[in-house]
Amino acid sequence: NAGVTQTPKFQVLKTGQSMTLQCAQDMNHEYMSWYRQDPGMGLRLIHYSVGAGITDQGEVPNGYNVSRSTTEDFPLRLLSAAPSQTSVYFCASSYQLAGILTGELFFGEGSRLTVL
Amino acid sequence: QKEVEQDPGPLSVPEGAIVSLNCTYSNSAFQYFMWYRQYSRKGPELLMYTYSSGNKEDGRFTAQVDKSSKYISLFIRDSQPSDSATYLCAMSPYGGATNKLIFGTGTLLAVQP
């Protein structure tokens, strides 16, 4: 059971470049989200989606774009990379019980991004 | 002031010790409280989940929530080297329409054999 799969695991970008971090889950979870983790800042929510075709902003959305065309995939796009976006990015998914989202997030292993 | 405060540690204990990890929070609307464990270079995984005040026990782990003091704790009994990880508290006022969790910064725990 693969769970949540993120690619790439490591990436180095130059300032101004764009790229997409991929996230796929095979658990048929409706809810998916992207977090970034920085030292001393904890995990901060970037964008989330409660189902295919529905996305919304989290705490730190600037500089990032998302779309959700299928239940399985939730890519995160960096439009014009900046050094402040150097971070570890985690994708997470969650499920519903009796139509209510639980607080249990299933995380991928992370994508480590360095912007020079 | 951050909504959730957590001592970053690092915390180093000998094998077999009782470990106490804590978080304080400022938003009285929080109803759902979680502890996640994160091994080095891995994603967090859910360890404990509690709703409102009270205690919850699961094996060597006990989670406590004191809403009157806005304080939550995770106790680890008979700690093992395999417990060495970063422990993140997380909380949410919702538990329903969204999973917009607010995380603490994490406490790094090292259990020495």
Side-chain angles (χ1 to χ4, degrees):
Chain A
N1 196 356
V4 178
T5 303
Q6 290 183 234
T7 56
K9 286 186 168 41
F10 302 93
Q11 183 71 49
V12 179
L13 289 178
K14 294 181 180 178
T15 297
Q17 287 184 317
S18 62
M19 77 156 299
T20 299
L21 299 177
Q22 302 290 345
C23 176
Q25 53 93 7
D26 62 0
M27 297 173 283
N28 201 31
H29 287 171
E30 290 293 326
Y31 180 91
M32 296 186 75
S33 55
W34 278 101
Y35 284 85
R36 59 178 290 174
Q37 187 173 37
D38 303 290
M41 301 295 293
L43 283 159
R44 292 181 292 167
L45 182 63
I46 304 172
H47 285 285
Y48 66 98
S49 168
V50 297
I54 306 169
T55 63
D56 205 348
Q57 296 181 351
E59 181 185 356
V60 288
N62 292 340
Y64 307 96
N65 233 352
V66 292
S67 60
R68 184 94 178 271
S69 56
T70 67
T71 299
E72 294 77 20
D73 300 299
F74 191 44
L76 178 72
R77 297 181 187 85
L78 279 70
L79 308 172
S80 177
S84 61
Q85 293 179 305
T86 293
S87 187
V88 182
Y89 292 86
F90 288 99
C91 179
S93 70
S94 189
Y95 59 97
Q96 296 184 29
L97 281 176
I100 298 175
L101 282 167
T102 71
E104 181 173 10
L105 295 175
F106 292 80
F107 285 87
E109 295 206 338
S111 296
R112 285 158 180 80
L113 176 66
T114 300
V115 182
L116 303 176
Chain B
Q1 182 189 6
K2 293 180 183 177
E3 277 192 288
V4 178
E5 299 277 358
Q6 185 174 7
D7 187 337
L11 184 60
S12 182
V13 301
E15 183 175 353
I18 296 174
V19 176
S20 172
L21 305 166
N22 311 294
C23 287
T24 59
Y25 62 94
S26 57
N27 188 345
S28 57
F30 287 144
Q31 297 283 346
Y32 299 84
F33 304 91
M34 286 140 274
W35 286 94
Y36 281 80
R37 178 175 61 194
Q38 184 177 21
Y39 290 114
S40 179
R41 297 195 170 271
K42 297 291 186 182
E45 56 181 350
L46 183 67
L47 191 60
M48 298 286 283
Y49 184 111
T50 53
Y51 170 69
S52 196
S53 286
N55 293 1
K56 185 173 183 179
E57 187 173 323
D58 185 1
R60 297 184 295 108
F61 299 90
T62 300
Q64 285 187 353
V65 174
D66 182 350
K67 290 188 68 180
S68 62
S69 302
K70 298 190 179 65
Y71 188 88
I72 69 171
S73 300
L74 178 71
F75 297 96
I76 306 175
R77 292 183 298 280
D78 188 24
S79 55
Q80 302 295 309
S82 59
D83 295 327
S84 298
T86 297
Y87 290 81
L88 302 153
C89 63
M91 43 199 83
S92 168
Y94 306 112
T98 75
N99 275 318
K100 295 172 76 172
L101 302 182
I102 308 298
F103 283 86
T105 53
T107 299
L108 178 61
L109 171 67
V111 180
Q112 307 298 334

